[in-house]
């Protein structure tokens, strides 16, 4: 689902116009970067540049929103190029940073007081499935896709960000769109997805190997992101037997683990905590139209779990 159209050339009058655009900038930057912490850094840098203009410089800008969005997009593009280089040396599989559905959150922890305008709006454009596909794109493809298909900007406007012609930007977005379509799953009703997640959780908690295998699609895959900081498989797991065996092994090693249902990137997912309530893992899942789990994305890297320090709801034990 695309974001509500945010016109590029809409004048935002008054000296506080920039602060009113923060929510737009955060939503945009998160989709470009796949990291809430990086998105907040990009927004912060955008505001630093805005304030560096001084009163005189800002007064010359007829459309603050246009300036802010273009600046944030360019910063995100540069950060994405740098991030890609860093990820080549990442230990194991890299997954986007999951975000919760809560009354207030930021990369500094769910207990931080955050203005409602600063929350990333959650819809299928921030689903883990789409964010994983976005990771396969070039930085320019990703920015073009996010700006055009999610935020509904025109190709001439996008060209001003990525430094290419409108025709080239059209090709970038088209190439990105083909990648998304190639990986697109058959739509599943929210209730069916929730039921599949619940079945997976129940089988896992019960230690029922047969039920856990039954909850998984025959072609299911699982990716665990530990970032080299905690234990995790370094390569994807393929097939119900391998995935079920891994998750039951986790339960054997930590029998006091608590697993609760939670909204992860806009969809039902799971959160695993220890006896002290500390978040150990966040699980995003994708479901097939047969009612089985096709993908399990497990984020264990503690640096990506800051927003989950205080679980929005107490998990069922």
């Amino acid at each position: 689902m695309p974001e509500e159209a945010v016109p590029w050339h809409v004048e935002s009058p008054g000296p506080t116009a920039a602060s009113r655009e923060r929510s737009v900038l955060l939503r945009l930057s998160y989709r470009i970067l796949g990291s809430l912490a990086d998105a907040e850094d990009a927004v912060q840098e955008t505001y630093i540049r805005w304030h560096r203009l001084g009163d005189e410089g800002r007064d010359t800008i007829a459309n603050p929103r246009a300036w802010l969005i273009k600046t944030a997009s360019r910063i995100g593009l540069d950060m994405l190029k740098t991030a890609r280089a860093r990820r080549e040396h990442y230990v194991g599989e890299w997954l986007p940073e999951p975000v919760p559905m809560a009354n207030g959150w930021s990369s500094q922890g769910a207990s931080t007081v955050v203005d409602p305008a600063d929350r990333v709006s959650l819809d299928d454009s921030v689903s883990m499935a789409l964010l994983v596909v976005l990771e396969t794109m070039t930085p320019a493809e990703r920015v073009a896709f996010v700006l055009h298909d999610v935020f509904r900007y025109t190709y001439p406007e996008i060209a001003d960000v990525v430094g290419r012609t409108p025709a080239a930007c059209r090709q970038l977005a088209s190439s990105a769109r083909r990648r998304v379509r190639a990986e697109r799953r058959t739509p599943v009703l929210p209730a069916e997805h929730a039921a599949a997640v619940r079945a997976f959780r129940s089988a896992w908690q019960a230690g029922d190997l047969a039920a856990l295998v039954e909850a998984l699609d025959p072609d299911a895959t699982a990716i665990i992101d530990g970032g080299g900081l905690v234990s995790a498989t370094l390569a994807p797991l393929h097939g119900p037997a391998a995935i079920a065996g891994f998750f039951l092994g986790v339960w054997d090693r930590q029998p006091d683990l608590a697993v609760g249902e939670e909204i992860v990137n806009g969809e039902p997912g799971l959160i695993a905590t220890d006896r002290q309530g500390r978040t150990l893992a966040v699980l995003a899942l994708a479901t097939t139209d047969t009612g089985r789990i096709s993908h399990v994305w497990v984020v264990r890297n503690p640096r990506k779990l800051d927003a989950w320090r205080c679980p929005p709801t107490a998990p069922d034990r």
Side-chain angles (χ1 to χ4, degrees), residues 146-250:
V146 170
L147 284 175
H148 183 268
D149 284 47
V150 180
F151 286 84
R152 298 305 189 194
Y153 292 125
T154 67
Y155 294 118
E157 292 165 345
I158 298 169
D160 198 26
V161 171
V162 301
R164 305 195 188 188
T165 65
C169 291
R170 182 184 294 274
Q171 289 300 316
L172 287 171
S174 178
S175 174
R177 204 173 296 118
R178 284 195 296 272
R179 292 176 187 256
V180 172
R181 287 172 179 164
E183 298 296 328
R184 181 166 288 166
R185 39 186 177 141
T186 303
V188 176
L189 292 175
E192 294 176 354
H193 175 74
V197 171
R198 194 168 297 115
F200 178 92
R201 171 178 172 259
S202 297
W204 184 19
Q205 285 190 307
D208 189 332
L209 177 62
L212 195 52
V213 168
E214 180 63 24
L216 293 160
D217 184 80
D219 296 321
T221 62
I223 294 176
I224 297 89
D225 177 350
L229 301 175
V230 294
S231 62
T233 60
L234 298 181
L237 298 171
H238 298 284
I243 296 171
F246 171 82
F247 279 96
L248 292 185
V250 169

Side-chain angles (χ1 to χ4, degrees), residues 62-231:
N63 301 293
R65 171 173 284 186
W67 188 95
L68 289 164
I69 291 175
K70 281 189 276 190
T71 301
S73 297
R74 288 169 179 163
I75 291 170
L77 181 60
D78 290 341
M79 290 178 66
L80 192 57
K81 292 174 182 176
T82 303
R84 289 299 171 86
R86 290 200 313 268
R87 288 169 197 171
E88 291 179 2
H89 304 286
Y90 195 81
V91 179
E93 297 288 322
W94 190 94
L95 287 174
E97 180 182 343
V99 292
M101 176 79 81
N103 290 334
W105 55 265
S106 76
S107 65
Q108 303 306 310
S111 60
T112 301
V113 176
V114 180
D115 187 275
D118 293 346
R119 299 172 202 144
V120 173
S121 73
L122 298 175
D123 56 33
D124 58 9
S125 74
V126 289
S127 70
M128 187 63 72
L130 179 58
L131 290 175
V132 168
V133 176
L134 292 180
E135 284 299 315
T136 68
M137 302 177 185
T138 67
E141 282 178 333
R142 184 167 184 166
V143 171
F145 176 83
V146 170
L147 284 175
H148 183 268
D149 284 47
V150 180
F151 286 84
R152 298 305 189 194
Y153 292 125
T154 67
Y155 294 118
E157 292 165 345
I158 298 169
D160 198 26
V161 171
V162 301
R164 305 195 188 188
T165 65
C169 291
R170 182 184 294 274
Q171 289 300 316
L172 287 171
S174 178
S175 174
R177 204 173 296 118
R178 284 195 296 272
R179 292 176 187 256
V180 172
R181 287 172 179 164
E183 298 296 328
R184 181 166 288 166
R185 39 186 177 141
T186 303
V188 176
L189 292 175
E192 294 176 354
H193 175 74
V197 171
R198 194 168 297 115
F200 178 92
R201 171 178 172 259
S202 297
W204 184 19
Q205 285 190 307
D208 189 332
L209 177 62
L212 195 52
V213 168
E214 180 63 24
L216 293 160
D217 184 80
D219 296 321
T221 62
I223 294 176
I224 297 89
D225 177 350
L229 301 175
V230 294
S231 62

